[in-house]
Amino acid sequence: MSKLYDPHWEKEARTEEESRKLQVRTGVLVGIFGAILLTFVVVLYQTQIVHGQDYLNSANYSVQEEETVDSVRGEILDRYGRVLVTNSVRYDITLDTALMGEDRNEILSELLELCREQGVAWNDSLPVSASQPWTYTKTDSLFSYEWEDEEGTVTVRATNLGRLAQGRGWIESAETADVTAEELLRAMAATFGLEIGENEPVSQVHRQLIGVLYELYLRSYEILTSEYTFASDVDITFISAVKERALTGVLIETETSRAYNTPSAAHVLGYTGDITPELWPTYQELGYAMNATVGRAGVEQAFEEYLHGASGRRQIETDDNGKIVAQQWLEEPDPGDNVVLTLDSSLQAVTERYLADFIEALENPAGGAAVVMDMTGGVLAMASYPTYDPGDFWELYGDLSSDTQRPLVNRATMGLYAPGSTFKMVTAVAGLSSGVITPITQVRCTGLYHYYGVNQACWIYPGNHGLENVTQAITDSCNIFFYDTGANLGIATLQDYARQFGLGEYTGIEIPEYRGQMAGPEAAETVGQTWYGGEVLSAAIGQSLSQFTPIQLANYVATLVNGGNHYQAHLLKEVKSSDYSQVVYEYEPELLNSIAIDQTDLDAVLEGMYNLSQTASMAQYFASLPVSVGCKTGTAEVSGQEATATFVCFAPYDNPQVAIALVAEKGSSGGNLAQVAAGILAQYFSTEDSQSSPAQENTLIR
């Protein structure tokens, strides 16, 4: 008999199966929860028990502070958008001995060992040789001796190291200044807690550590801060090695520094540096960080307000090793704007090369300058010789500052020179505009001019030019014609026209310049001399006490050939935002004054300059140019020295675009500089139509 189907049995079996599954699930959940709980307990144990003291120490020593963060400096470009100065990122190693404590010497020794292994140089200015035998590397490293009077009384002055040596008792006084370098090193080692046995020689390792400790002590003594930049611009390999060793108080700082894309225009571009103590109050009011980099010369300084941007503020938290564990921006820094100059960097390079080649070929090379300017005062090129590579400025500063040829002086704006015959166009315009002469007035040149009982000679004497009008007198540079014109004008009128042309006056250029002076009673008084009426003759031909800068000469010629409009000289073309998306400022030429010159009179003067360019001595240089030129030579006599050569020109003759002024100390005749001018003009007129290219669609225009 078959078993009948029982529904109750099936229900019980199903219930039992579900109960087993529930038990399994519950077991799994309990296991997971247990694992989580165990993990939490382990982490808690590690945090509270194993590393509790470490975290406690970190919490106890963490410091919160606000710091001012310098902004990224803007770029400097030439008129065609070529970047002349930009920024590069570098890594510096700094030391903070406040974090090192009693382990300072051990930490520094380990750092120096790492430097020796990887060939990394560090900053060390201790004036003791780097290797044995130990000697002073500078004369009178401890004291300098100055003779103060005729009886031979000597004044002894302590040097930087000497003051420290006295202050720390390394030496007693100036009378013991004959201490040897090794004796000094031993005394310094004892002060710095570095043990050197009595019979143990001072090793090179000892000397290196003493040098670093001296740097640290020097800053503490002079600057009252313990931070010290140990090494600059280190590579990533060294950075990794430093991080691996986790040296307390050895910090890695990211810095930006100026990078120069051109070896030219050093005097124009200038340089950047730290804020000097005397300027700190001013920059502090502007919100600068104390360690900010600022413009110190040239356009870097002139356009600081655009280039610097705005500093930011950051809140940082550091642990007892000086490491940043948290940071928050309170105010982010704004990068500086980009400054576009009127300079043409290609023309600048050519101008510097031609000027240098000319001066270096002289029998007694000295100095010189060149300025190329457009008709509204914009400087296209400005060269000063001797010069230097702006990228190497700080590395070469010591040599540059002590060089007797003064390469740091910008002769284009701060060199004062008698203009010589290049001044004669001023006398001509003054005579024509005042009615003293007309374009057809003739003066007979006999070679000598008698005035106030004195004979003044023409440069051609014992020859003569015969009858000369103003055009011929400019071409022939006839002194007699301009003696006569100057005598009839008087010094006051000559001074007035010189001033209207900007000679002996500030040009307004944004970088430092000298004013110079126009000859006259006032100039004589400033040098303790008496002005005599007969000196007007010398003043009329650009001699006497007249001294002008090359940029004044260039601006004067631009004013003359553009019809008498005297503009302020300038280097700024425009300022663009940090991302180049908009023009922040655009320079508008500033008209300082206008000189009323009759067109017929002006034509007579400019024709004389053109005719000079066509003479055999000048045509050899200018004949191959694609444009015609007007020019004037000058030879300025310098007492007891070879004459200074001056030269000015403009082109094209029928539609002036550019004016040039050249000066060469000890250059003899100004005509010698025509070859330099021709080279500059060839560069300008061969490239002026090819510098700008049409903007491409969807591209960012600089």
Side-chain angles (χ1 to χ4, degrees), residues 375 425 470-472 474-475 557-558 560-563 599-614 622 625-632 648-660 681 684-685 688:
M375 293 297 102
M425 287 82 75
V470 67
T471 300
Q472 295 167 325
I474 289 174
T475 302
V557 173
L560 172 69
V561 302
N562 74 20
Q599 188 61 50
T600 302
D601 294 340
L602 180 60
D603 290 343
V605 173
L606 299 187
E607 184 181 352
M609 298 179 71
Y610 169 76
N611 291 343
L612 176 58
S613 73
Q614 302 302 301
F622 298 129
L625 293 177
V627 295
S628 53
V629 178
C631 63
K632 186 72 189 80
V648 297
C649 67
F650 69 93
Y653 169 68
D654 53 354
N655 182 28
Q657 296 178 30
V658 60
I660 299 176
L681 291 172
Y684 178 81
F685 287 104
E688 63 163 339

Side-chain angles (χ1 to χ4, degrees), residues 102-134:
E102 296 179 356
D103 298 328
R104 181 193 64 184
N105 289 357
E106 289 74 14
I107 293 171
L108 294 177
S109 294
E110 189 173 353
L111 179 61
L112 287 169
E113 180 184 1
L114 184 60
C115 289
R116 289 190 291 268
E117 290 175 358
Q118 299 203 10
V120 172
W122 60 90
N123 295 320
D124 182 343
S125 65
L126 180 64
V128 174
S129 57
S131 60
Q132 295 174 310
W134 307 120

Side-chain angles (χ1 to χ4, degrees), residues 320-352:
D320 59 331
N321 288 321
K323 295 180 181 177
I324 297 176
V325 296
Q327 62 177 326
Q328 177 184 1
W329 282 109
L330 302 176
E331 184 179 348
E332 293 194 19
D334 288 330
D337 294 323
N338 304 300
V339 170
V340 183
L341 303 179
T342 57
L343 287 186
D344 174 351
S345 57
S346 295
L347 186 66
Q348 175 74 29
V350 167
T351 300
E352 289 191 15

Side-chain angles (χ1 to χ4, degrees), residues 516-530:
Q517 64 181 12
M518 172 61 192
E522 301 84 358
E525 185 178 356
T526 61
V527 295
Q529 297 181 9
T530 301

Side-chain angles (χ1 to χ4, degrees), residues 212-223:
V212 174
L213 292 169
Y214 168 72
E215 292 284 356
L216 290 165
Y217 186 79
L218 183 65
R219 282 154 179 76
S220 176
Y221 185 86
E222 294 284 346
I223 310 174

Side-chain angles (χ1 to χ4, degrees), residues 412-657:
T413 62
M414 303 178 75
L416 294 174
Y417 305 97
S421 294
T422 62
F423 182 82
K424 288 176 177 175
M425 287 82 75
V426 175
T427 305
V429 169
L432 291 165
S433 299
S434 301
V436 168
I437 58 172
T438 70
I440 60 173
T441 298
Q442 291 182 313
V443 173
R444 182 176 296 280
C445 171
T446 62
L448 291 174
Y449 188 80
H450 189 75
Y451 189 69
Y452 273 90
V454 178
N455 285 325
Q456 294 281 5
C458 188
W459 69 267
I460 199 174
Y461 183 79
N464 65 81
H465 291 113
L467 285 173
E468 295 259 16
N469 61 29
V470 67
T471 300
Q472 295 167 325
I474 289 174
T475 302
D476 297 335
S477 201
C478 179
N479 288 348
I480 303 302
F481 184 95
F482 292 102
Y483 286 155
D484 189 69
T485 303
N488 287 298
L489 281 170
I491 191 61
T493 302
L494 275 179
Q495 288 179 314
D496 179 51
Y497 274 88
R499 179 190 56 78
Q500 292 186 63
F501 277 109
L503 295 173
E505 303 291 333
Y506 292 114
T507 67
I509 193 74
E510 299 94 336
I511 60 178
E513 64 171 331
Y514 285 159
R515 183 176 181 176
Q517 64 181 12
M518 172 61 192
E522 301 84 358
E525 185 178 356
T526 61
V527 295
Q529 297 181 9
T530 301
W531 177 262
Y532 297 101
E535 292 186 55
V536 69
L537 303 188
S538 294
I541 63 168
Q543 293 285 168
S544 185
L545 297 174
S546 293
Q547 287 194 314
F548 310 134
T549 62
I551 193 172
Q552 288 176 356
L553 293 176
N555 203 10
Y556 138 59
V557 173
T559 300
L560 172 69
V561 302
N562 74 20
N565 293 317
H566 177 213
Y567 288 92
Q568 177 175 303
H570 63 98
L571 285 162
L572 183 62
K573 183 175 183 286
E574 60 186 1
V575 180
K576 295 190 175 183
S577 60
S578 59
D579 61 358
Y580 291 97
S581 62
Q582 58 183 323
V583 175
V584 176
Y585 173 80
E586 187 169 5
Y587 183 90
E588 290 292 335
E590 183 176 347
L591 183 64
L592 299 178
N593 61 276
S594 292
I595 307 170
I597 309 175
D598 183 83
Q599 188 61 50
T600 302
D601 294 340
L602 180 60
D603 290 343
V605 173
L606 299 187
E607 184 181 352
M609 298 179 71
Y610 169 76
N611 291 343
L612 176 58
S613 73
Q614 302 302 301
T615 59
S617 60
M618 296 290 108
Q620 60 178 319
Y621 303 115
F622 298 129
S624 61
L625 293 177
V627 295
S628 53
V629 178
C631 63
K632 186 72 189 80
T633 62
T635 303
E637 301 297 332
V638 181
S639 178
Q641 299 181 29
E642 295 177 64
T644 295
T646 58
F647 185 90
V648 297
C649 67
F650 69 93
Y653 169 68
D654 53 354
N655 182 28
Q657 296 178 30

Side-chain angles (χ1 to χ4, degrees), residues 4-22:
L4 297 176
Y5 171 72
D6 185 355
H8 296 287
W9 176 85
E10 183 179 356
K11 182 177 181 181
E12 290 175 359
R14 194 164 50 246
T15 301
E16 185 179 351
E17 179 66 23
E18 290 177 355
S19 178
R20 284 196 303 269
K21 290 181 178 179
L22 180 60

